Amino acid sequence: MTRIQAAHGDGYVGGATLWGQTGAVDGKRVFEQLRRGEIRVTPFGLNDGWVPIYAWHKVHAGLLAAHDLAGTPGALGVKVGMADGGTPSCRSTCPCPRTRRPPSSPCGPRAEIW
């Protein structure tokens, strides 16, 4: 996952897919559309993505479990990279510093790792 994240260059790593695609498709497109304000909702989808927020959350949960339960080297670093730079809602548009976001930030508080 570290290599995938490095290839994106912005902290993103995810498992979202798009409806009707037969090959590998970058689900990151869904989050780019959301940032631009393009929102199309269906019962199990968002912008032609198959539950992208759920999939993104599961990647976070899996990385935290890999770190906490299995002691997997690098898992926490990938998760922090997602939280700091790959956050779908404000990866490139957040006016707040990446290292510390006040609770009143328009992008919300920075994700904390316990």
Side-chain angles (χ1 to χ4, degrees):
M1 293 182 87
T2 302
R3 289 192 312 249
I4 294 167
Q5 195 174 51
H8 278 280
D10 56 12
Y12 178 85
V13 62
T17 58
L18 299 179
W19 289 98
Q21 300 297 322
T22 56
V25 174
D26 184 9
K28 181 172 151 180
R29 289 186 215 167
V30 171
F31 299 112
E32 292 168 352
Q33 292 168 353
L34 294 175
R35 257 191 307 283
R36 292 191 304 263
E38 301 170 23
I39 301 172
R40 298 179 310 281
V41 179
T42 60
F44 288 99
L46 181 62
N47 289 29
D48 300 322
W50 175 252
V51 293
I53 304 298
Y54 174 82
W56 189 78
H57 165 263
K58 288 301 179 182
V59 172
H60 269 277
L63 287 165
L64 191 57
H67 171 74
D68 285 348
L69 303 175
T72 304
L76 188 60
V78 173
K79 182 175 177 14
V80 169
M82 286 180 73
D84 283 350
T87 304
S89 62
C90 64
R91 172 176 42 86
S92 62
T93 59
C94 182
C96 305
R98 295 279 182 234
T99 54
R100 292 196 175 209
R101 292 188 187 132
S104 61
S105 162
C107 300
R110 180 177 179 266
E112 295 297 329
I113 307 298
W114 306 112

